[in-house]
Amino acid sequence: MADPETISIHQTVTLQEITVDYTPELCTHSSETNEITVLFDERGGSRWRTKNRYQYGTFGANIKCPDGNTNGLNFNLYLSSLEGDKSQDAIHFEFLGNNKGIVQTNYMTAGTANGSEQINDLGFDCSDGFHDYEIKWEKEFIEWSIDGKCIRRVDREDGVEFPEKAMFLYASVWDASAIAEGEWSGIYEGGDAPYACVYKDVRVPLLTSVDVADREFHPEHLIHQTLLLKEIAVDYTPEVCTHTLDTNEITVLYDERGGSRWRTKTRYQYGTFGANIKCPDGNTNGLNFNLYLSSLEGDKAQDEIDFEFLGNNKGVVQTNHYTDGTGNKEQIHDLGFDCSDGFHDYEIKWSKDYIEWSVDGKIIRRDDNEDSAEFPGKAMFLYASIWDASGINEGGWTGIYEGSDAPYTCMYKDVRVPLLTALPEEDSEDLVC
């Protein structure tokens, strides 16, 4: 786990959500491929931006500029405190349609560029393929980099205004023919329309969103920041487990083939884990469906933290935790609803000092670490499964499986895991005992 005291404002995360300011039909965002595409045709262009402003940090994207005769067009990636505001601060990469072998960089303070425009030779045609463009912005300097090489740096000087307002990340394609009577980007002809500018793997600062910066910068807060889970491993029966990135849904079936179990690809050392879950409909006697953390499923010395749904009573959920394979801390909680009636949010918040289980934002249990020898401390995967638990206590736990309403479907939506506490897996094999 990263030491929160050494976390840099330049740590980044892949952008998950955008806002489209105009002509949304010309802007598409695929969460599966992490691509944003902006078109320009007879309807004009479009502009997207982040939903939040950021106060310093690193911003970047792999960009493929439009093919063909792009005279007159401007395509870009830039920061602005508010596009259209005459007193905006801004930092730009601007591609000029009449010369795709260059890029213009500049910055603005309180709406004034002060002659900061600079033309930079790329050494390639920006439409030939994807290249990486990055802006690194601090209180004391700005750096523009392409494919990992810094092409320009501006340091703050005493008494000289410098961008410092919190800014959105923007990108657009527009007709700039009227700027300097066409001398800037040329005159639009449109012979090769429609034009497509593609932004891939857009990255923004992890910590400097104004929503985050306004909170106390404290390690306890940092380890509980989350992001949506994008990749899973399926331990068995992959044909009954599906993961749909477009809807952020994982579906596990139980039928004559049995059930399945999915997990994260990495372990985490503390943090917040959760999902919106809709449990299976019908007569689920005998089945167990769940969401839980485990250092390694099947290991007799595992640490574990559980939400477990019992098929013979869908109005309750069982919580539990294990240390070195020993549990005996089961508690049954009345949900106040049938867990199969719709989606409800289930969350585990785990630190070295406590564990909290919450349902729909309400804490239903908290255990404090009073004896570290009996408290989960091993790094853990997030798991979920459906299985026939009829053999536990001769059916006394979940009932006896009947299967009259098979197939059974458990759905996990918007699964979230910690941003900062993942640990690298040295060997992805031998993860199933």
Side-chain angles (χ1 to χ4, degrees), residues 134-179:
E134 183 176 272
I135 295 168
K136 192 172 186 178
W137 168 46
E138 286 191 12
K139 184 178 180 180
E140 300 300 330
F141 69 87
I142 306 166
E143 287 182 351
W144 293 258
S145 295
I146 300 175
D147 291 333
K149 180 180 178 181
C150 182
I151 63 165
R152 181 182 183 188
R153 176 179 171 120
V154 176
D155 292 295
R156 186 183 195 121
E157 298 178 7
D158 290 342
V160 178
E161 292 187 337
F162 205 70
E164 61 183 12
K165 296 176 183 176
M167 295 197 266
F168 297 101
L169 179 66
Y170 284 92
S172 65
V173 183
W174 60 290
D175 182 356
S177 301
I179 304 299

Side-chain angles (χ1 to χ4, degrees), residues 283-288 309-313 318 387-402:
N283 174 6
T284 53
N285 277 345
L287 295 181
N288 174 291
F309 301 94
L310 312 179
N312 60 349
N313 186 349
Q318 178 178 292
W387 59 289
D388 182 357
S390 300
I392 306 297
N393 295 333
E394 298 181 343
W397 190 41
T398 62
I400 300 296
Y401 182 67
E402 301 170 16

Side-chain angles (χ1 to χ4, degrees), residues 331-364:
Q331 288 187 18
I332 299 293
H333 309 269
D334 182 69
L335 290 171
F337 55 81
D338 182 322
C339 64
S340 67
D341 281 348
F343 283 97
H344 291 270
D345 188 77
Y346 302 86
E347 182 176 273
I348 295 169
K349 193 172 185 179
W350 168 46
S351 78
K352 64 184 178 68
D353 297 315
Y354 65 89
I355 306 166
E356 288 180 350
W357 294 258
S358 296
V359 178
D360 290 335
K362 181 180 179 180
I363 297 172
I364 63 169

Side-chain angles (χ1 to χ4, degrees), residues 232-243 251-262 407-408:
I232 63 171
V234 180
D235 286 342
Y236 58 83
T237 328
E239 62 270 24
V240 296
C241 182
T242 60
H243 183 199
T251 301
V252 184
L253 295 181
Y254 189 94
D255 58 18
E256 69 280 358
R257 296 167 291 182
S260 187
R261 183 176 69 218
W262 63 263
Y408 299 98

